[in-house]
Amino acid sequence: MRIPTPVTRLLGIDLPIVQAGMSWASSAPELPLAVSEAGGLGVLAAGPMRHDDLRAALKALRDGTDKPFAVNLPLHRKGVEETMDLLLEHRIPVLIASQGGPKRYLDRFQAAGTLCLHVVASPVHAAKAAEAGIDGLVVVGAEAGGHPPPDLVSTLVILRAVARAVPDVPLIASGGFADGAGLAAALSLGAGAAQFGTRFLLSEEANVHPAYQQAVLAASAGDAQPVGRGLGVIRVLPNAFTREMGKLEEDGAELEVRRARFAESTLKMAAFDGDVANGKIEAGQSAGLVDDVRSAAEIVRTLAEEYLAVARGLPVVGD
């Protein structure tokens, strides 16, 4: 099955389905390998990975598929220059960079033949990245888990704003997508693909603790709330951590007090250790639309089939 769009043609993939780079969830090769083999773009999350593990994962991806895959790299990562050197050495097909400007990496990776996508959450940043020569953009809206835009503009609005600002740049929409209807919406709004995070978090190949998956499965659409204003907003599910942070904000606690409490809880505690009472259970609002754990290949196939069913059911002019 193929669904051609500007993004699929740019990346050389069959389907406009991108698996989000989700820190611990895709910091092993199994999930991105399965997604890429199924026709989407699998994304390895380099953020939490030690360099030896990253090298091994890149080798596993190269050995496991001849299809494109991507590596997500947060530019604020400690030792990011050494990580970029490693990725350049391995000549990865696609880089998805976030939390920094593209000029610090763009020339080097493009010269090595790597396609470069940059994560943005505003038309201003999109225009700057386009001017720098980026190959494509991932546009993140407020519904996203992890790190949504601090001004919490919805994907519906921010995607249209970016599409107007940079009409010639291929776009991947991110935030709130869980099924084929969401994919159809993303394409209708001007994107060439949709990025799915929470849906692939609930996959058999996701590298997370079962307790984390069960917490996301139990969530409704309104449960994932933004926390940490002024500290780098994240969208997480409610637990002891969010209640304590909410109380500090309500009481007007000083920024440094809130910062210290914010740092005490980590995503690793929930995703890797299974401490869903005290860790950061990062998830998108689309958690309320996902009610099962499936293989990544089945998720990709179902998303494509649902998209085609939605597209065929749309009214045609003149009917």
Side-chain angles (χ1 to χ4, degrees):
M1 186 188 306
R2 298 187 70 235
I3 303 172
T5 72
V7 168
T8 64
R9 288 189 285 270
L10 170 70
L11 301 177
I13 58 178
D14 293 331
L15 301 169
I17 295 168
V18 177
Q19 164 246 312
M22 298 173 289
S23 193
W24 294 99
S26 61
S27 61
E30 287 78 11
L31 177 55
L33 180 58
V35 173
S36 288
E37 277 289 282
L41 183 71
V43 182
L44 181 71
M49 299 183 74
R50 294 175 298 184
H51 285 171
D52 286 347
D53 294 332
L54 180 55
R55 287 189 186 92
L58 291 172
K59 184 179 186 304
L61 285 164
R62 287 291 194 191
D63 292 345
T65 186
D66 59 359
K67 297 182 178 180
F69 62 87
V71 176
N72 175 264
L73 180 63
L75 296 174
H76 67 45
R77 172 196 159 116
K78 184 178 180 181
V80 70
E81 292 297 330
E82 290 82 0
T83 305
M84 285 195 279
D85 289 342
L86 189 159
L87 297 178
L88 285 165
E89 174 189 335
H90 284 264
R91 294 184 175 272
I92 60 171
V94 182
L95 174 71
I96 301 177
S98 60
Q99 300 175 350
K103 290 184 179 180
R104 68 183 298 186
Y105 66 83
L106 197 56
D107 289 346
R108 284 180 287 168
F109 278 91
Q110 288 179 331
T114 296
L115 290 168
C116 296
L117 309 178
H118 200 75
V119 179
V120 298
S122 78
V124 172
H125 291 151
K128 288 181 178 179
E131 184 180 354
I134 203 74
D135 295 303
L137 296 170
V138 179
V139 184
V140 180
E143 297 91 332
H147 297 273
D151 55 9
L152 296 178
V153 177
S154 75
T155 305
L156 178 71
V157 174
I158 195 62
L159 179 58
R160 287 304 303 147
V162 171
R164 289 181 178 186
V166 289
D168 298 324
V169 178
L171 304 179
I172 299 168
S174 180
F177 301 110
D179 55 22
L183 176 56
L187 299 189
S188 73
L189 290 167
Q195 179 170 268
F196 297 84
T198 303
R199 174 61 275 193
F200 283 112
L201 176 63
L202 295 175
S203 66
E204 294 171 1
E205 294 86 351
N207 186 38
V208 294
H209 197 283
Y212 191 99
Q213 288 188 321
Q214 287 303 313
V216 178
L217 276 173
S220 64
D223 285 343
Q225 294 293 325
V227 172
R229 288 178 175 82
L231 301 170
V233 174
I234 58 172
R235 187 176 289 282
V236 291
L237 297 178
N239 61 3
F241 160 69
T242 63
R243 288 190 292 273
E244 290 177 28
M245 284 301 302
K247 184 69 165 55
L248 289 172
E249 292 179 358
E250 181 181 329
D251 292 346
E254 294 182 1
L255 180 62
E256 290 308 312
V257 173
R258 290 189 288 116
R259 191 191 308 280
R261 179 62 189 95
F262 193 76
E264 286 176 1
S265 293
T266 66
L267 173 61
K268 180 179 181 292
M269 290 168 62
F272 190 78
D273 300 328
D275 185 356
V276 294
N278 301 294
K280 292 171 177 169
I281 314 173
E282 297 184 10
Q285 289 182 323
S286 63
L289 301 176
V290 184
D291 55 13
D292 59 11
V293 176
R294 302 184 184 185
S295 72
E298 185 179 359
I299 291 171
V300 172
R301 178 182 57 79
T302 301
L303 289 172
E305 290 175 349
E306 289 174 346
Y307 164 78
L308 292 174
V310 169
R312 292 188 187 111
L314 292 174
V316 178
V317 175
D319 282 6

